[in-house]
Amino acid sequence: MSTSFLIEMLLLRRLRYLFKMSLAVSLRRALLVLLSGAIFILTVLYWNQGVIKTQAYSEAQPRLHVQRDRNIDPIPLEKSWTYKCDHDRCVRVNYHKNEDNAKRVSFISCSMTCGDINIWPHPTSKSLVSAHTLRFSVEDVHLRLDSPHRDVRKQLKLAFDWFIKELRQIQRLDYASHTDEISMAAASVSEPSFRLGLHKTDTDVAESPLAGSLFSATFGSHRVGDLDSLQVKLSVHGSDQLNFNLDNDESYKLSTTYEHRRILVHITAQTFFGARHGLSTLQQLIWYDDEERLLRTYVSSLINDEPKFRYRGLMLDTSRHFFSVDAIKRTISAMGLAKLNRFHWHITDAQSFPYISRNYPELAEHGAYSESETYSEQDVREVTEFAKIFGVQVLLEVDAPAHAGNGWDWGPKRGLGELSLCINQQPWSFYCGEPPCGQLNPKNNHTYLILQRLYEEFLKLTGPTDIFHLGGDEVNLDCWAQYFNDTDLRGLWCDFMLQSNARLKLANGNEALRHVVVWSSALTNTKCLPNSQFVVQVWGGSTWQENYDLLDNGYNVIFSHVDAWYLDCGFGSWRATGDAACSPYRTWQNVYKHRPWERMRLDNKRRKQVLGGEACLWTEQVDENQLDNRLWPRAAALAERLWSDPNDDHDFDIVPPEVFRRISLFRNRLVELGIKAEALFPKYCVQNPGECI
């Protein structure tokens, strides 16, 4: 083989080697570039996935947003009608914008300026409001606090914050986008309205405007609406008391003055509770005008108000069905607007024991429907603190000795003996009012110790009070007779209630509570409970003899008559045996017309023994899905009866037309706030007041 050939072969191999090396390097570089590019792209995608999701959500949102608004916005706009006041009644007239020169008047604006003042419950004294109204936005509302008491100022600020939140709902700001709000406000720009030279209240306390507005109330040189500001001055110079008791002064005075595009609403009260009621009244002096798309209120007003009865209650049973904390809070917020002041929380019964006790968690472990259907200490505290903002006291009741079932069946396992007797015993109708049975053991000291610890927990969670509910209803003596047949069974009930009260005193720092409430029964007339301390909640019929006997025996009473103020009645029997139905349905008129102190012809002494009344909602056939419409607006009918107790010279079955008009508007206010209150009559009757009555 020649030398030249060998050299060529070597060179060729070298070139192939170099080519392979070059190709490998190029491939590696290309792969590296591709890998780097892939990493870069993935990194960009990772860090921008939130933006991509937001954009995708935004693109899909318009249709969802429209659907949401249709579902949430509770009161539709009624642009086809205008209203005029004729003899204190709003008359509906068809409105054609292009044909009529007159400006359209909305139904609510007509209703608020036609006839008597439209507040529920009606104030107890004569009230005056101007026929002239002014437009403004919630963004124009400011708070001024005038109180030497720091804790009172703090509580008033919390109440005012909720007042503003609800005004936002009324103005529909929570149903519109930011752009919609600006459009709504800009569409309402007009020249400033007239001014009245009314007295200007001294500004002795600095303003504290509420922050967080979503849009400016100024567009160019124009101001939206007729006001630069609406200032709410809350003055409490009397008591620094924030704890509830039956002697709380709940009176208030509200006055409104106007000058230089500025309204000053001055609410004066002796206590926080009175000022809170003043805010509830002010909220009802403000309404949303769907023509202007702004709020309206009166140029001037003067209201002096205080309740006729000290105890104005609503009871909710959360044992037969569980109700969420949100549902309870929603109920309490409506109570505040209606000026009801006691939320009686019937938290346990034989069916379930949903409260998780710190000392005895076994009660809930054995008695709750499920782990998720329970109330923690924090839940109870949250409800209590929320209720105080609305001037509502929470009263917790562990029913005893009856209505105590499976939650108490763990005693023998802990070496505590039988805490409750007759648990789940059959036939149930022989041993309890409704299934399942269960009645606390009156001769087991451990039973009283557990009750004492529960009372301690409740008092700690709800705060100092002068009133407490011990239960005591529907005790079945046949249950106890199986175990204590040689005992005076009526005396055994008396001993149980007296021992429970003694344990309550220990739970309250060895200080006796002024008012201890028990349910009425055949046993409450045994006269064994001291009438100086015990209050009887009368649930039986309004014509029963026990009403007179209890008053004659010197007891203070709270009326909850089954034939008028039981809101669960009228839905048929839910079981085959026993008395399960109380019919007929209690209409709001039934609730409103019920005045037992008048029917019983009580003298002044006996009237003073009536602390007030309470509507009751037992929940065998009610869960959270029906809660709002079972309560409202019927509970509001009770609220006016107990707050102002208007004189009623009409036939027993007839409610005056102006009451229909006012409760109809109050029902609409509840709906505006997201409470699904029951309809009172066809909407035609709402739009044409007086035609259907």
Side-chain angles (χ1 to χ4, degrees), residues 109 200 227 282 328 366 554 637 670:
S109 289
K200 182 178 180 180
L227 297 176
L282 175 59
I328 294 172
H366 288 249
L670 294 174

Side-chain angles (χ1 to χ4, degrees), residues 628-676:
D628 288 3
N629 56 56
R630 290 287 174 91
L631 285 178
W632 306 104
R634 292 188 294 163
L638 173 81
E640 178 157 300
R641 179 52 57 209
L642 296 175
W643 179 271
S644 49
D645 188 27
N647 291 327
D648 194 351
D649 299 327
H650 296 75
D651 182 82
F652 181 75
D653 295 323
I654 299 175
V655 174
E658 70 89 12
V659 177
F660 268 89
R661 178 177 65 89
R662 285 190 302 105
I663 198 170
S664 175
L665 279 179
F666 186 79
R667 183 261 175 186
N668 281 0
R669 290 185 181 276
L670 294 174
V671 173
E672 280 184 319
L673 296 175
I675 295 163
K676 298 178 180 179

Side-chain angles (χ1 to χ4, degrees), residues 59 100 256 269 320 507 663:
E59 291 171 1
D100 300 332
T256 302
R320 272 76 178 200
I663 198 170

Side-chain angles (χ1 to χ4, degrees), residues 323-329 332 343 345 375-390 392-394 396 461-462:
F323 295 84
S324 68
V325 168
D326 285 344
I328 294 172
K329 290 166 68 174
I332 288 172
F343 177 68
W345 191 349
Y375 302 107
S376 66
E377 286 186 330
Q378 179 56 36
D379 291 332
V380 175
R381 187 179 293 109
E382 180 181 338
V383 169
T384 300
E385 292 174 356
F386 179 84
K388 181 175 283 190
I389 294 172
F390 290 86
V392 176
Q393 180 183 20
V394 174
L396 289 163
L461 292 171
T462 59

